[in-house]
Amino acid sequence: MEHRFFRLITEGAEFEIAGSARGNPDALFDRKLKPKSRIRIFDVSIYLTNVRQMPELRFYVAYVVMSAGDRQVIYPRIFYKDLSLVWRSASHFTYLGDDIWVGKGDVRFDEEDGHETVESIEATTDLPLEIQSALESLLPEKSKRAAGGSGILELVLKQSPEDRVEPYRDFVEPRQKAQSNPRNLINGNQPVATFKKPGEPESLWIRKGFEPDFSDGVIERRTSRSTLYGGKLNRFRVLSVNKKIQYYFIAGTKHVWIIPPQATTTGLSSYGVRTIDVVADDDLFIPGYEYHHYEETANGTELYSQIPEGFAGEACPYDDAKADASPWLNRIPLIREFKRKVLRGKADLRVVILPESSSQ
């Protein structure tokens, strides 16, 4: 795999690096960040190092290879595993004291109590659902310890000031270009799913045609394991009825949750992510365990929770900053239908071939 990658460089492929290794890709290879595997998706090749581990982050250095006119460009990126168990591409990063904060893509601006607020749209960094299982399958066995990752993010990613949430131009501009054509937009960039009554899971509404096709749209089923969720997890990729979007369900022994849906478009940015969004209510995509804890603020001790009010279950046995979100999830009609038709039913689980991946 290394030979194939370095042949690209010999043949004239150029690096574009956002971090401190800009102009000096050997700084990456000096840290033994040579590719060991490859994933091919659409017309993009992604070369991956062995996984690295930090206290805050498990990640690959990914070399995204794309054509730019008559030349090949190599974009080093950081692909990391989020707490919701979805693989993402970090847009930038910063240090918050001794902690690391990883940029979560594009943002939305709002106003609260007369002040403008900025909120990350985290799904804009979700890597294509088509390669989620491939990324998971390349993780080392539990008995094999991953090498450390200290100091690598600086080499690869642009380091932002502490107060910057917004990503930089190289992340935003491909999205703006793709979305400037109204024909590219999914449902006119209007929500395909929302709760008509906030805080009431049974009030879920889905635009006709965009509901998952549990009859014959289940196109992928794979398994993985998670200590947090008590062992085996089943992962399902499901097309919508109109085939314009796709869903990703994760089912464990106790929890079922949904990763934000994606378009079935094939355009990717140099970060390896789709440039076209699927807009839907965030409360539909709460993971099995979500943040729910008290923290000290300027106004005293306050509850910080990403679980709808009144639906937080027991504290997570592995992380007391999180609580069980199943009281909310189990009442969502879409999850109930998934359990009935797919987990307990006889949905047609057609076998699909994952995007090309290989390892040394």
Side-chain angles (χ1 to χ4, degrees):
M1 192 53 56
E2 289 183 29
H3 175 74
R4 180 182 293 183
F5 177 76
F6 284 103
R7 188 172 64 198
L8 288 171
I9 301 173
T10 302
E11 293 173 349
E14 302 173 9
F15 280 88
E16 288 195 14
I17 304 175
S20 63
R22 184 185 302 109
N24 181 27
D26 285 343
L28 298 171
F29 306 135
D30 290 344
R31 289 295 306 269
K32 300 181 179 180
L33 297 173
K34 296 180 179 179
K36 302 298 181 183
S37 57
R38 181 175 77 122
I39 295 172
R40 180 78 179 172
I41 175 169
F42 310 137
D43 58 351
V44 177
S45 288
I46 301 172
Y47 292 83
L48 299 159
T49 65
N50 288 334
V51 74
R52 295 300 187 105
Q53 183 72 55
M54 299 171 65
E56 311 93 336
L57 214 61
R58 170 175 284 194
F59 66 93
Y60 300 101
V61 174
Y63 299 97
V64 180
V65 182
M66 306 182 75
S67 296
D70 58 356
R71 66 190 181 104
Q72 293 281 93
V73 182
I74 302 171
Y75 301 91
R77 303 301 187 197
I78 297 294
F79 287 4
Y80 72 99
K81 191 174 185 179
D82 180 69
L83 293 172
S84 65
L85 305 191
V86 66
W87 285 93
R88 291 176 167 165
S89 181
S91 56
H92 57 297
F93 90 104
T94 192
Y95 285 107
L96 300 175
D98 294 330
D99 297 325
I100 289 175
W101 180 83
V102 175
K104 296 174 176 61
D106 219 337
V107 298
R108 63 170 67 97
F109 293 91
D110 206 345
E111 187 173 307
E112 185 175 321
D113 299 328
H115 300 283
E116 186 179 64
T117 61
V118 183
E119 180 184 4
S120 294
I121 310 172
E122 298 186 12
T124 62
T125 60
D126 287 359
L127 288 157
L129 298 180
E130 292 91 336
I131 67 171
Q132 292 286 331
S133 294
L135 291 165
E136 194 73 19
S137 70
L138 293 171
L139 290 174
E141 297 177 5
K142 191 174 181 180
S143 60
K144 296 181 180 179
R145 186 174 180 178
S150 178
I152 293 176
L153 268 61
E154 293 93 324
L155 296 173
V156 177
L157 296 177
K158 190 170 184 64
Q159 184 173 346
S160 69
E162 287 187 13
D163 60 351
R164 183 180 179 117
V165 177
E166 306 98 303
Y168 290 86
R169 288 176 55 187
D170 62 342
F171 187 91
V172 174
E173 286 186 348
R175 291 172 41 77
Q176 292 176 337
K177 181 179 179 180
Q179 295 177 33
S180 65
N181 185 345
R183 291 179 299 179
N184 291 340
L185 302 180
I186 301 297
N187 195 36
N189 222 30
Q190 296 301 306
V192 301
T194 190
F195 294 96
K196 290 189 173 181
K197 297 180 180 179
E200 293 189 17
E202 293 85 359
S203 70
L204 177 67
W205 170 88
I206 300 178
R207 167 71 80 183
K208 185 173 177 59
F210 288 97
E211 64 272 25
D213 183 358
F214 293 133
S215 297
D216 59 3
V218 184
I219 57 172
E220 180 185 330
R221 175 179 178 174
R222 295 291 183 267
T223 60
S224 63
R225 299 193 67 81
S226 167
T227 300
L228 179 67
Y229 287 98
K232 181 180 176 182
L233 295 175
N234 286 301
R235 297 164 173 261
F236 300 82
R237 187 159 60 94
V238 186
L239 290 176
S240 63
V241 170
N242 61 16
K243 311 261 188 312
K244 291 184 177 181
I245 68 172
Q246 53 188 321
Y247 293 80
Y248 200 81
F249 290 78
I250 300 181
T253 55
K254 183 178 179 182
H255 302 86
V256 173
W257 70 99
I258 311 170
I259 300 300
Q262 293 182 7
T264 52
T265 54
T266 59
L268 302 181
S269 77
S270 67
Y271 281 82
V273 298
R274 281 187 161 92
T275 53
I276 298 298
D277 298 338
V278 176
V279 180
D281 195 314
D282 290 341
D283 282 347
L284 182 54
F285 312 114
I286 294 173
Y289 287 113
E290 184 56 286
Y291 285 108
H292 181 84
H293 60 91
Y294 288 91
E295 54 184 41
E296 295 299 324
T297 72
N299 298 319
T301 303
E302 294 185 1
L303 175 65
Y304 173 79
S305 181
Q306 294 188 1
I307 300 174
E309 185 176 357
F311 288 93
E314 297 178 355
C316 173
Y318 296 99
D319 187 345
D320 57 11
K322 300 183 183 67
D324 185 357
S326 349
W328 170 263
L329 297 170
N330 290 341
R331 287 175 53 179
I332 294 175
L334 187 57
I335 288 179
R336 297 174 69 173
E337 184 182 7
F338 169 79
K339 289 180 178 180
R340 184 175 69 254
K341 291 186 176 179
V342 178
L343 294 186
R344 295 192 293 268
K346 297 180 179 180
D348 179 16
L349 300 180
R350 292 185 281 131
V351 175
V352 296
I353 300 174
L354 290 173
E356 176 188 350
S357 62
S358 54
S359 58
Q360 188 177 29

